[in-house]
Amino acid sequence: MYNHFKKIYTVKLAEKYKKDVASSLSLKPNQSFLINKYKMQAKYFSESDIRGLLDDMIALDTNYKIGLIDVNIGVEAILVRYCS
């Protein structure tokens, strides 16, 4: 899930700074169909929302590794926070 939102964030930044999305995502030529899919999904989020979600996922990973939270509960909490 982190990787997917990281790609959406990359698309947002590439569009903001007028960079080539395919090269920013390091896509192969036969994966160019993914560009439109990521662009469509990126429309539903602001740049700050995606950045916050990525930061929350990084914090979840850290807290899970040191035993502070169960990964399933953490992912559910993040989903509830950003889907409501």
Side-chain angles (χ1 to χ4, degrees):
M1 199 163 80
Y2 175 83
N3 286 332
H4 184 75
F5 279 103
K6 187 171 92 172
K7 289 176 183 178
I8 292 173
Y9 186 65
T10 302
V11 168
K12 284 292 245 194
L13 292 178
E15 288 178 336
K16 179 179 178 181
Y17 295 110
K18 311 255 189 288
K19 301 290 182 181
D20 181 44
V21 175
S23 63
S24 297
L25 292 172
S26 303
L27 295 177
K28 297 175 185 169
N30 64 346
Q31 294 177 318
S32 60
F33 69 96
L34 292 172
I35 295 170
N36 287 333
K37 293 184 183 283
Y38 288 131
K39 282 184 178 182
M40 295 272 297
Q41 292 175 12
K43 289 180 186 178
Y44 296 106
F45 300 96
S46 69
E47 185 180 328
S48 61
D49 284 343
I50 298 173
R51 184 66 211 174
L53 186 128
L54 292 173
D55 290 340
D56 286 348
M57 288 186 170
I58 291 169
L60 170 64
D61 185 54
T62 302
N63 291 334
Y64 170 69
K65 287 180 180 176
I66 60 175
L68 293 178
I69 192 168
D70 179 62
V71 73
N72 292 329
I73 293 171
V75 169
E76 289 173 0
I78 290 172
L79 289 174
V80 167
R81 186 177 309 132
Y82 287 96
C83 292
S84 58

